[in-house]
Amino acid sequence: QVQLVQSGAEVKKPGSSVKVSCKASGGTFSSYAISWVRQAPGQGLEWMGGIIPIFGTANYAQKFQGRVTITADKSTSTAYMELSSLRSEDTAVYYCARGPFSIGRGTNYYYYYMDVWGKGTTVTVSS
Amino acid sequence: EIVLTQSPGTLSLSPGERATLSCRASQSVSSSYLAWYQQKPGQAPRLLIYGASSRATGIPDRFSGSGSGTDFTLTISRLEPEDFAVYYCQQYGSSPLFGPGTKVDIK
């Protein structure tokens, strides 16, 4: 049974960057999509972007384009999400999640449901 | 751009009652590419339903999903104490989208 193990909580200054990791253990990593979803305090779920590790191609939500970078290391079954130019509104719990995908047009992939989730990483942005 | 709307915002019910949660899309959702999740405080979301009506592994059969096009429904036939939580719908896509959620709380 695959588990996604995320890195620990982070406290960052405004304007800095944060990099969160997500390591898959006990199951297949490369043949699924890995998405990053965040949840601000008391708010709903927001998809930030995802990656297909087997292809190494990432897709990003328009809101985060230019500020988020998602990568994956197949050799260690680990995905990473780096968010830059942090502001207080980025304070949230960041989840990685695994799910199936299909190939869309060009380098776009179609992300389906998310059936395995990490426990989340709390990122606090405060001066 | 598709917008997902969930109603009601909060549903107050008693254990044993039936819960009916709605998810409406501003445009038709192709091939019933819609999922439902349950989230309890301090926990990650849990997949309940995918493909609008297929239960995920290990999900009790009191949870059912239905609908197509723009209107989807999650039904919990008889609420158990552990079912009081927030429920989100999610549309598949190149940029997946979540609805704002429905909170099911104890009346």
Side-chain angles (χ1 to χ4, degrees), chain A residues 80-114:
Chain A
Y80 301 90
M81 185 283 299
E82 184 169 22
L83 187 62
S84 61
S85 303
L86 290 169
R87 35 207 188 230
S88 58
E89 309 89 89
D90 295 317
T91 293
V93 177
Y94 290 77
Y95 295 102
C96 62
R98 186 199 80 165
F101 70 97
S102 64
I103 298 173
R105 296 180 180 177
T107 55
N108 274 337
Y109 295 90
Y110 211 76
Y111 293 79
Y112 285 40
Y113 52 88
M114 298 158 214

PDB file of all heavy atoms in Angstrom, chain A residues 80-114:
ATOM      1  N   TYR A  80       8.773  17.127  -5.459  1.00  0.00           N
ATOM      2  CA  TYR A  80       9.078  18.369  -4.752  1.00  0.00           C
ATOM      3  C   TYR A  80       8.188  19.497  -5.281  1.00  0.00           C
ATOM      4  O   TYR A  80       7.864  19.544  -6.463  1.00  0.00           O
ATOM      5  CB  TYR A  80      10.537  18.766  -4.956  1.00  0.00           C
ATOM      6  CG  TYR A  80      11.542  17.747  -4.486  1.00  0.00           C
ATOM      7  CD1 TYR A  80      11.996  16.752  -5.341  1.00  0.00           C
ATOM      8  CD2 TYR A  80      12.022  17.769  -3.176  1.00  0.00           C
ATOM      9  CE1 TYR A  80      12.912  15.812  -4.918  1.00  0.00           C
ATOM     10  CE2 TYR A  80      12.951  16.832  -2.740  1.00  0.00           C
ATOM     11  CZ  TYR A  80      13.380  15.853  -3.617  1.00  0.00           C
ATOM     12  OH  TYR A  80      14.294  14.919  -3.184  1.00  0.00           O
ATOM     13  N   MET A  81       7.838  20.386  -4.375  1.00  0.00           N
ATOM     14  CA  MET A  81       7.104  21.587  -4.748  1.00  0.00           C
ATOM     15  C   MET A  81       7.825  22.777  -4.134  1.00  0.00           C
ATOM     16  O   MET A  81       7.997  22.841  -2.918  1.00  0.00           O
ATOM     17  CB  MET A  81       5.665  21.510  -4.245  1.00  0.00           C
ATOM     18  CG  MET A  81       4.740  22.657  -4.679  1.00  0.00           C
ATOM     19  SD  MET A  81       4.961  24.208  -3.785  1.00  0.00           S
ATOM     20  CE  MET A  81       4.579  23.684  -2.118  1.00  0.00           C
ATOM     21  N   GLU A  82       8.288  23.670  -4.986  1.00  0.00           N
ATOM     22  CA  GLU A  82       8.952  24.887  -4.508  1.00  0.00           C
ATOM     23  C   GLU A  82       8.090  26.095  -4.853  1.00  0.00           C
ATOM     24  O   GLU A  82       7.698  26.277  -6.004  1.00  0.00           O
ATOM     25  CB  GLU A  82      10.337  25.034  -5.126  1.00  0.00           C
ATOM     26  CG  GLU A  82      11.101  26.234  -4.584  1.00  0.00           C
ATOM     27  CD  GLU A  82      12.562  26.238  -4.999  1.00  0.00           C
ATOM     28  OE1 GLU A  82      12.905  25.596  -6.012  1.00  0.00           O
ATOM     29  OE2 GLU A  82      13.369  26.892  -4.318  1.00  0.00           O
ATOM     30  N   LEU A  83       7.793  26.894  -3.855  1.00  0.00           N
ATOM     31  CA  LEU A  83       6.998  28.107  -4.024  1.00  0.00           C
ATOM     32  C   LEU A  83       7.871  29.298  -3.634  1.00  0.00           C
ATOM     33  O   LEU A  83       8.447  29.326  -2.542  1.00  0.00           O
ATOM     34  CB  LEU A  83       5.739  28.047  -3.167  1.00  0.00           C
ATOM     35  CG  LEU A  83       4.714  29.177  -3.352  1.00  0.00           C
ATOM     36  CD1 LEU A  83       4.156  29.188  -4.767  1.00  0.00           C
ATOM     37  CD2 LEU A  83       3.586  29.042  -2.329  1.00  0.00           C
ATOM     38  N   SER A  84       7.945  30.264  -4.529  1.00  0.00           N
ATOM     39  CA  SER A  84       8.822  31.405  -4.299  1.00  0.00           C
ATOM     40  C   SER A  84       8.019  32.671  -4.018  1.00  0.00           C
ATOM     41  O   SER A  84       6.795  32.686  -4.095  1.00  0.00           O
ATOM     42  CB  SER A  84       9.718  31.615  -5.530  1.00  0.00           C
ATOM     43  OG  SER A  84       8.919  31.893  -6.669  1.00  0.00           O
ATOM     44  N   SER A  85       8.745  33.732  -3.709  1.00  0.00           N
ATOM     45  CA  SER A  85       8.140  35.047  -3.425  1.00  0.00           C
ATOM     46  C   SER A  85       6.986  34.910  -2.444  1.00  0.00           C
ATOM     47  O   SER A  85       5.872  35.393  -2.681  1.00  0.00           O
ATOM     48  CB  SER A  85       7.671  35.712  -4.728  1.00  0.00           C
ATOM     49  OG  SER A  85       8.722  35.854  -5.635  1.00  0.00           O
ATOM     50  N   LEU A  86       7.264  34.228  -1.353  1.00  0.00           N
ATOM     51  CA  LEU A  86       6.211  33.933  -0.383  1.00  0.00           C
ATOM     52  C   LEU A  86       5.613  35.190   0.225  1.00  0.00           C
ATOM     53  O   LEU A  86       6.316  36.174   0.491  1.00  0.00           O
ATOM     54  CB  LEU A  86       6.762  33.030   0.726  1.00  0.00           C
ATOM     55  CG  LEU A  86       7.077  31.598   0.312  1.00  0.00           C
ATOM     56  CD1 LEU A  86       7.864  30.890   1.413  1.00  0.00           C
ATOM     57  CD2 LEU A  86       5.808  30.830  -0.019  1.00  0.00           C
ATOM     58  N   ARG A  87       4.308  35.151   0.458  1.00  0.00           N
ATOM     59  CA  ARG A  87       3.597  36.218   1.148  1.00  0.00           C
ATOM     60  C   ARG A  87       2.708  35.588   2.202  1.00  0.00           C
ATOM     61  O   ARG A  87       2.521  34.377   2.228  1.00  0.00           O
ATOM     62  CB  ARG A  87       2.798  37.063   0.170  1.00  0.00           C
ATOM     63  CG  ARG A  87       2.206  36.292  -0.996  1.00  0.00           C
ATOM     64  CD  ARG A  87       2.028  37.204  -2.178  1.00  0.00           C
ATOM     65  NE  ARG A  87       1.295  36.550  -3.264  1.00  0.00           N
ATOM     66  CZ  ARG A  87       1.715  36.534  -4.523  1.00  0.00           C
ATOM     67  NH1 ARG A  87       2.847  37.093  -4.862  1.00  0.00           N
ATOM     68  NH2 ARG A  87       0.974  35.956  -5.464  1.00  0.00           N
ATOM     69  N   SER A  88       2.148  36.403   3.043  1.00  0.00           N
ATOM     70  CA  SER A  88       1.373  35.878   4.172  1.00  0.00           C
ATOM     71  C   SER A  88       0.202  35.017   3.699  1.00  0.00           C
ATOM     72  O   SER A  88      -0.181  34.047   4.372  1.00  0.00           O
ATOM     73  CB  SER A  88       0.870  37.019   5.051  1.00  0.00           C
ATOM     74  OG  SER A  88       0.069  37.915   4.299  1.00  0.00           O
ATOM     75  N   GLU A  89      -0.341  35.334   2.536  1.00  0.00           N
ATOM     76  CA  GLU A  89      -1.472  34.571   2.013  1.00  0.00           C
ATOM     77  C   GLU A  89      -1.093  33.143   1.607  1.00  0.00           C
ATOM     78  O   GLU A  89      -1.964  32.323   1.312  1.00  0.00           O
ATOM     79  CB  GLU A  89      -2.084  35.256   0.784  1.00  0.00           C
ATOM     80  CG  GLU A  89      -2.417  36.718   0.956  1.00  0.00           C
ATOM     81  CD  GLU A  89      -1.265  37.630   0.600  1.00  0.00           C
ATOM     82  OE1 GLU A  89      -1.145  38.024  -0.586  1.00  0.00           O
ATOM     83  OE2 GLU A  89      -0.463  37.942   1.520  1.00  0.00           O
ATOM     84  N   ASP A  90       0.197  32.851   1.566  1.00  0.00           N
ATOM     85  CA  ASP A  90       0.650  31.496   1.243  1.00  0.00           C
ATOM     86  C   ASP A  90       0.690  30.601   2.475  1.00  0.00           C
ATOM     87  O   ASP A  90       0.998  29.406   2.359  1.00  0.00           O
ATOM     88  CB  ASP A  90       2.034  31.538   0.593  1.00  0.00           C
ATOM     89  CG  ASP A  90       2.022  32.235  -0.762  1.00  0.00           C
ATOM     90  OD1 ASP A  90       1.080  31.977  -1.547  1.00  0.00           O
ATOM     91  OD2 ASP A  90       2.941  33.030  -1.024  1.00  0.00           O
ATOM     92  N   THR A  91       0.393  31.156   3.628  1.00  0.00           N
ATOM     93  CA  THR A  91       0.294  30.333   4.832  1.00  0.00           C
ATOM     94  C   THR A  91      -0.820  29.316   4.642  1.00  0.00           C
ATOM     95  O   THR A  91      -1.982  29.682   4.407  1.00  0.00           O
ATOM     96  CB  THR A  91       0.012  31.213   6.063  1.00  0.00           C
ATOM     97  OG1 THR A  91       1.151  32.044   6.307  1.00  0.00           O
ATOM     98  CG2 THR A  91      -0.272  30.362   7.293  1.00  0.00           C
ATOM     99  N   ALA A  92      -0.462  28.036   4.709  1.00  0.00           N
ATOM    100  CA  ALA A  92      -1.416  26.989   4.376  1.00  0.00           C
ATOM    101  C   ALA A  92      -0.817  25.633   4.701  1.00  0.00           C
ATOM    102  O   ALA A  92       0.370  25.515   5.014  1.00  0.00           O
ATOM    103  CB  ALA A  92      -1.775  27.043   2.887  1.00  0.00           C
ATOM    104  N   VAL A  93      -1.665  24.613   4.613  1.00  0.00           N
ATOM    105  CA  VAL A  93      -1.197  23.236   4.608  1.00  0.00           C
ATOM    106  C   VAL A  93      -1.071  22.809   3.150  1.00  0.00           C
ATOM    107  O   VAL A  93      -2.013  23.007   2.362  1.00  0.00           O
ATOM    108  CB  VAL A  93      -2.166  22.304   5.353  1.00  0.00           C
ATOM    109  CG1 VAL A  93      -1.675  20.854   5.270  1.00  0.00           C
ATOM    110  CG2 VAL A  93      -2.312  22.724   6.811  1.00  0.00           C
ATOM    111  N   TYR A  94       0.067  22.261   2.814  1.00  0.00           N
ATOM    112  CA  TYR A  94       0.340  21.826   1.455  1.00  0.00           C
ATOM    113  C   TYR A  94       0.348  20.305   1.423  1.00  0.00           C
ATOM    114  O   TYR A  94       1.088  19.658   2.175  1.00  0.00           O
ATOM    115  CB  TYR A  94       1.691  22.390   0.982  1.00  0.00           C
ATOM    116  CG  TYR A  94       1.627  23.882   0.770  1.00  0.00           C
ATOM    117  CD1 TYR A  94       1.655  24.755   1.856  1.00  0.00           C
ATOM    118  CD2 TYR A  94       1.512  24.426  -0.507  1.00  0.00           C
ATOM    119  CE1 TYR A  94       1.562  26.127   1.667  1.00  0.00           C
ATOM    120  CE2 TYR A  94       1.426  25.795  -0.700  1.00  0.00           C
ATOM    121  CZ  TYR A  94       1.443  26.637   0.390  1.00  0.00           C
ATOM    122  OH  TYR A  94       1.351  28.001   0.206  1.00  0.00           O
ATOM    123  N   TYR A  95      -0.507  19.750   0.558  1.00  0.00           N
ATOM    124  CA  TYR A  95      -0.629  18.304   0.415  1.00  0.00           C
ATOM    125  C   TYR A  95      -0.075  17.858  -0.929  1.00  0.00           C
ATOM    126  O   TYR A  95      -0.282  18.531  -1.943  1.00  0.00           O
ATOM    127  CB  TYR A  95      -2.096  17.878   0.455  1.00  0.00           C
ATOM    128  CG  TYR A  95      -2.829  18.104   1.749  1.00  0.00           C
ATOM    129  CD1 TYR A  95      -3.695  19.183   1.898  1.00  0.00           C
ATOM    130  CD2 TYR A  95      -2.694  17.214   2.815  1.00  0.00           C
ATOM    131  CE1 TYR A  95      -4.400  19.385   3.073  1.00  0.00           C
ATOM    132  CE2 TYR A  95      -3.389  17.416   3.999  1.00  0.00           C
ATOM    133  CZ  TYR A  95      -4.237  18.498   4.118  1.00  0.00           C
ATOM    134  OH  TYR A  95      -4.936  18.692   5.284  1.00  0.00           O
ATOM    135  N   CYS A  96       0.572  16.694  -0.940  1.00  0.00           N
ATOM    136  CA  CYS A  96       0.801  16.006  -2.202  1.00  0.00           C
ATOM    137  C   CYS A  96      -0.214  14.867  -2.269  1.00  0.00           C
ATOM    138  O   CYS A  96      -0.671  14.351  -1.237  1.00  0.00           O
ATOM    139  CB  CYS A  96       2.232  15.502  -2.335  1.00  0.00           C
ATOM    140  SG  CYS A  96       2.757  14.278  -1.108  1.00  0.00           S
ATOM    141  N   ALA A  97      -0.563  14.499  -3.493  1.00  0.00           N
ATOM    142  CA  ALA A  97      -1.566  13.449  -3.681  1.00  0.00           C
ATOM    143  C   ALA A  97      -1.286  12.728  -4.989  1.00  0.00           C
ATOM    144  O   ALA A  97      -0.844  13.347  -5.968  1.00  0.00           O
ATOM    145  CB  ALA A  97      -2.973  14.051  -3.692  1.00  0.00           C
ATOM    146  N   ARG A  98      -1.563  11.437  -5.002  1.00  0.00           N
ATOM    147  CA  ARG A  98      -1.325  10.605  -6.175  1.00  0.00           C
ATOM    148  C   ARG A  98      -2.633  10.277  -6.859  1.00  0.00           C
ATOM    149  O   ARG A  98      -3.671  10.107  -6.199  1.00  0.00           O
ATOM    150  CB  ARG A  98      -0.653   9.304  -5.731  1.00  0.00           C
ATOM    151  CG  ARG A  98      -0.220   8.412  -6.861  1.00  0.00           C
ATOM    152  CD  ARG A  98       0.004   6.994  -6.395  1.00  0.00           C
ATOM    153  NE  ARG A  98      -1.259   6.277  -6.266  1.00  0.00           N
ATOM    154  CZ  ARG A  98      -1.357   4.955  -6.165  1.00  0.00           C
ATOM    155  NH1 ARG A  98      -0.247   4.226  -6.145  1.00  0.00           N
ATOM    156  NH2 ARG A  98      -2.525   4.365  -6.063  1.00  0.00           N
ATOM    157  N   GLY A  99      -2.565  10.183  -8.175  1.00  0.00           N
ATOM    158  CA  GLY A  99      -3.763   9.777  -8.885  1.00  0.00           C
ATOM    159  C   GLY A  99      -3.471   9.447 -10.330  1.00  0.00           C
ATOM    160  O   GLY A  99      -2.383   9.731 -10.830  1.00  0.00           O
ATOM    161  N   PRO A 100      -4.445   8.858 -11.012  1.00  0.00           N
ATOM    162  CA  PRO A 100      -4.253   8.532 -12.426  1.00  0.00           C
ATOM    163  C   PRO A 100      -4.303   9.782 -13.291  1.00  0.00           C
ATOM    164  O   PRO A 100      -4.731  10.859 -12.859  1.00  0.00           O
ATOM    165  CB  PRO A 100      -5.433   7.593 -12.732  1.00  0.00           C
ATOM    166  CG  PRO A 100      -6.446   7.883 -11.693  1.00  0.00           C
ATOM    167  CD  PRO A 100      -5.745   8.428 -10.501  1.00  0.00           C
ATOM    168  N   PHE A 101      -3.865   9.607 -14.530  1.00  0.00           N
ATOM    169  CA  PHE A 101      -3.834  10.724 -15.461  1.00  0.00           C
ATOM    170  C   PHE A 101      -4.036  10.179 -16.867  1.00  0.00           C
ATOM    171  O   PHE A 101      -3.987   8.969 -17.105  1.00  0.00           O
ATOM    172  CB  PHE A 101      -2.488  11.455 -15.373  1.00  0.00           C
ATOM    173  CG  PHE A 101      -1.337  10.661 -15.936  1.00  0.00           C
ATOM    174  CD1 PHE A 101      -0.892  10.861 -17.234  1.00  0.00           C
ATOM    175  CD2 PHE A 101      -0.712   9.689 -15.160  1.00  0.00           C
ATOM    176  CE1 PHE A 101       0.159  10.105 -17.757  1.00  0.00           C
ATOM    177  CE2 PHE A 101       0.326   8.933 -15.662  1.00  0.00           C
ATOM    178  CZ  PHE A 101       0.765   9.137 -16.963  1.00  0.00           C
ATOM    179  N   SER A 102      -4.259  11.083 -17.784  1.00  0.00           N
ATOM    180  CA  SER A 102      -4.207  10.722 -19.203  1.00  0.00           C
ATOM    181  C   SER A 102      -3.470  11.832 -19.945  1.00  0.00           C
ATOM    182  O   SER A 102      -3.262  12.923 -19.405  1.00  0.00           O
ATOM    183  CB  SER A 102      -5.606  10.508 -19.777  1.00  0.00           C
ATOM    184  OG  SER A 102      -6.350  11.711 -19.740  1.00  0.00           O
ATOM    185  N   ILE A 103      -3.082  11.517 -21.167  1.00  0.00           N
ATOM    186  CA  ILE A 103      -2.293  12.469 -21.941  1.00  0.00           C
ATOM    187  C   ILE A 103      -3.219  13.362 -22.737  1.00  0.00           C
ATOM    188  O   ILE A 103      -4.078  12.889 -23.479  1.00  0.00           O
ATOM    189  CB  ILE A 103      -1.311  11.732 -22.869  1.00  0.00           C
ATOM    190  CG1 ILE A 103      -0.339  10.904 -22.028  1.00  0.00           C
ATOM    191  CG2 ILE A 103      -0.555  12.734 -23.735  1.00  0.00           C
ATOM    192  CD1 ILE A 103       0.566  10.010 -22.837  1.00  0.00           C
ATOM    193  N   GLY A 104      -3.046  14.673 -22.553  1.00  0.00           N
ATOM    194  CA  GLY A 104      -3.849  15.633 -23.293  1.00  0.00           C
ATOM    195  C   GLY A 104      -3.101  16.141 -24.508  1.00  0.00           C
ATOM    196  O   GLY A 104      -2.305  15.434 -25.116  1.00  0.00           O
ATOM    197  N   ARG A 105      -3.326  17.397 -24.807  1.00  0.00           N
ATOM    198  CA  ARG A 105      -2.683  18.007 -25.981  1.00  0.00           C
ATOM    199  C   ARG A 105      -1.300  18.528 -25.626  1.00  0.00           C
ATOM    200  O   ARG A 105      -1.135  19.156 -24.574  1.00  0.00           O
ATOM    201  CB  ARG A 105      -3.531  19.153 -26.512  1.00  0.00           C
ATOM    202  CG  ARG A 105      -4.883  18.726 -27.023  1.00  0.00           C
ATOM    203  CD  ARG A 105      -5.676  19.910 -27.543  1.00  0.00           C
ATOM    204  NE  ARG A 105      -6.985  19.498 -28.041  1.00  0.00           N
ATOM    205  CZ  ARG A 105      -7.899  20.340 -28.509  1.00  0.00           C
ATOM    206  NH1 ARG A 105      -7.640  21.627 -28.551  1.00  0.00           N
ATOM    207  NH2 ARG A 105      -9.058  19.890 -28.928  1.00  0.00           N
ATOM    208  N   GLY A 106      -0.350  18.311 -26.472  1.00  0.00           N
ATOM    209  CA  GLY A 106       0.993  18.812 -26.247  1.00  0.00           C
ATOM    210  C   GLY A 106       1.574  18.234 -24.978  1.00  0.00           C
ATOM    211  O   GLY A 106       1.611  17.024 -24.799  1.00  0.00           O
ATOM    212  N   THR A 107       2.029  19.117 -24.092  1.00  0.00           N
ATOM    213  CA  THR A 107       2.598  18.639 -22.822  1.00  0.00           C
ATOM    214  C   THR A 107       1.600  18.778 -21.684  1.00  0.00           C
ATOM    215  O   THR A 107       1.963  18.745 -20.520  1.00  0.00           O
ATOM    216  CB  THR A 107       3.875  19.413 -22.475  1.00  0.00           C
ATOM    217  OG1 THR A 107       3.563  20.809 -22.464  1.00  0.00           O
ATOM    218  CG2 THR A 107       4.966  19.141 -23.477  1.00  0.00           C
ATOM    219  N   ASN A 108       0.336  18.971 -22.027  1.00  0.00           N
ATOM    220  CA  ASN A 108      -0.682  19.019 -20.987  1.00  0.00           C
ATOM    221  C   ASN A 108      -1.165  17.614 -20.657  1.00  0.00           C
ATOM    222  O   ASN A 108      -1.344  16.789 -21.552  1.00  0.00           O
ATOM    223  CB  ASN A 108      -1.880  19.848 -21.437  1.00  0.00           C
ATOM    224  CG  ASN A 108      -1.683  21.319 -21.150  1.00  0.00           C
ATOM    225  OD1 ASN A 108      -0.909  21.687 -20.273  1.00  0.00           O
ATOM    226  ND2 ASN A 108      -2.362  22.149 -21.893  1.00  0.00           N
ATOM    227  N   TYR A 109      -1.333  17.370 -19.388  1.00  0.00           N
ATOM    228  CA  TYR A 109      -1.857  16.101 -18.937  1.00  0.00           C
ATOM    229  C   TYR A 109      -3.177  16.337 -18.235  1.00  0.00           C
ATOM    230  O   TYR A 109      -3.444  17.398 -17.701  1.00  0.00           O
ATOM    231  CB  TYR A 109      -0.851  15.408 -18.010  1.00  0.00           C
ATOM    232  CG  TYR A 109       0.408  15.039 -18.746  1.00  0.00           C
ATOM    233  CD1 TYR A 109       1.475  15.924 -18.807  1.00  0.00           C
ATOM    234  CD2 TYR A 109       0.500  13.825 -19.417  1.00  0.00           C
ATOM    235  CE1 TYR A 109       2.617  15.602 -19.515  1.00  0.00           C
ATOM    236  CE2 TYR A 109       1.644  13.496 -20.121  1.00  0.00           C
ATOM    237  CZ  TYR A 109       2.697  14.392 -20.168  1.00  0.00           C
ATOM    238  OH  TYR A 109       3.826  14.080 -20.870  1.00  0.00           O
ATOM    239  N   TYR A 110      -4.005  15.324 -18.265  1.00  0.00           N
ATOM    240  CA  TYR A 110      -5.330  15.395 -17.688  1.00  0.00           C
ATOM    241  C   TYR A 110      -5.266  14.676 -16.348  1.00  0.00           C
ATOM    242  O   TYR A 110      -5.047  13.471 -16.294  1.00  0.00           O
ATOM    243  CB  TYR A 110      -6.313  14.717 -18.645  1.00  0.00           C
ATOM    244  CG  TYR A 110      -7.698  15.282 -18.635  1.00  0.00           C
ATOM    245  CD1 TYR A 110      -7.975  16.482 -19.264  1.00  0.00           C
ATOM    246  CD2 TYR A 110      -8.730  14.597 -18.028  1.00  0.00           C
ATOM    247  CE1 TYR A 110      -9.259  16.994 -19.273  1.00  0.00           C
ATOM    248  CE2 TYR A 110     -10.004  15.100 -18.040  1.00  0.00           C
ATOM    249  CZ  TYR A 110     -10.274  16.293 -18.671  1.00  0.00           C
ATOM    250  OH  TYR A 110     -11.542  16.792 -18.675  1.00  0.00           O
ATOM    251  N   TYR A 111      -5.412  15.454 -15.269  1.00  0.00           N
ATOM    252  CA  TYR A 111      -5.318  14.893 -13.931  1.00  0.00           C
ATOM    253  C   TYR A 111      -6.696  14.410 -13.480  1.00  0.00           C
ATOM    254  O   TYR A 111      -7.671  15.167 -13.556  1.00  0.00           O
ATOM    255  CB  TYR A 111      -4.769  15.949 -12.962  1.00  0.00           C
ATOM    256  CG  TYR A 111      -3.331  16.320 -13.254  1.00  0.00           C
ATOM    257  CD1 TYR A 111      -3.018  17.204 -14.291  1.00  0.00           C
ATOM    258  CD2 TYR A 111      -2.283  15.783 -12.507  1.00  0.00           C
ATOM    259  CE1 TYR A 111      -1.697  17.530 -14.566  1.00  0.00           C
ATOM    260  CE2 TYR A 111      -0.968  16.114 -12.776  1.00  0.00           C
ATOM    261  CZ  TYR A 111      -0.689  16.989 -13.809  1.00  0.00           C
ATOM    262  OH  TYR A 111       0.614  17.317 -14.087  1.00  0.00           O
ATOM    263  N   TYR A 112      -6.762  13.210 -12.997  1.00  0.00           N
ATOM    264  CA  TYR A 112      -8.019  12.626 -12.588  1.00  0.00           C
ATOM    265  C   TYR A 112      -8.218  12.826 -11.085  1.00  0.00           C
ATOM    266  O   TYR A 112      -7.877  13.865 -10.542  1.00  0.00           O
ATOM    267  CB  TYR A 112      -8.034  11.142 -12.972  1.00  0.00           C
ATOM    268  CG  TYR A 112      -8.250  10.894 -14.463  1.00  0.00           C
ATOM    269  CD1 TYR A 112      -7.657  11.698 -15.436  1.00  0.00           C
ATOM    270  CD2 TYR A 112      -9.041   9.836 -14.885  1.00  0.00           C
ATOM    271  CE1 TYR A 112      -7.855  11.462 -16.783  1.00  0.00           C
ATOM    272  CE2 TYR A 112      -9.242   9.591 -16.230  1.00  0.00           C
ATOM    273  CZ  TYR A 112      -8.644  10.407 -17.176  1.00  0.00           C
ATOM    274  OH  TYR A 112      -8.847  10.168 -18.509  1.00  0.00           O
ATOM    275  N   TYR A 113      -8.780  11.858 -10.439  1.00  0.00           N
ATOM    276  CA  TYR A 113      -9.000  11.953  -8.999  1.00  0.00           C
ATOM    277  C   TYR A 113      -7.686  11.673  -8.263  1.00  0.00           C
ATOM    278  O   TYR A 113      -6.693  11.269  -8.875  1.00  0.00           O
ATOM    279  CB  TYR A 113     -10.081  10.959  -8.568  1.00  0.00           C
ATOM    280  CG  TYR A 113      -9.813   9.549  -9.032  1.00  0.00           C
ATOM    281  CD1 TYR A 113      -9.045   8.676  -8.271  1.00  0.00           C
ATOM    282  CD2 TYR A 113     -10.319   9.092 -10.244  1.00  0.00           C
ATOM    283  CE1 TYR A 113      -8.784   7.401  -8.712  1.00  0.00           C
ATOM    284  CE2 TYR A 113     -10.068   7.813 -10.690  1.00  0.00           C
ATOM    285  CZ  TYR A 113      -9.299   6.971  -9.919  1.00  0.00           C
ATOM    286  OH  TYR A 113      -9.050   5.700 -10.359  1.00  0.00           O
ATOM    287  N   MET A 114      -7.701  11.915  -6.950  1.00  0.00           N
ATOM    288  CA  MET A 114      -6.495  11.732  -6.125  1.00  0.00           C
ATOM    289  C   MET A 114      -6.826  10.732  -5.035  1.00  0.00           C
ATOM    290  O   MET A 114      -7.635  11.036  -4.148  1.00  0.00           O
ATOM    291  CB  MET A 114      -6.067  13.091  -5.560  1.00  0.00           C
ATOM    292  CG  MET A 114      -5.703  14.070  -6.676  1.00  0.00           C
ATOM    293  SD  MET A 114      -5.800  15.781  -6.171  1.00  0.00           S
ATOM    294  CE  MET A 114      -6.351  16.568  -7.678  1.00  0.00           C
TER     295      MET A 114
END
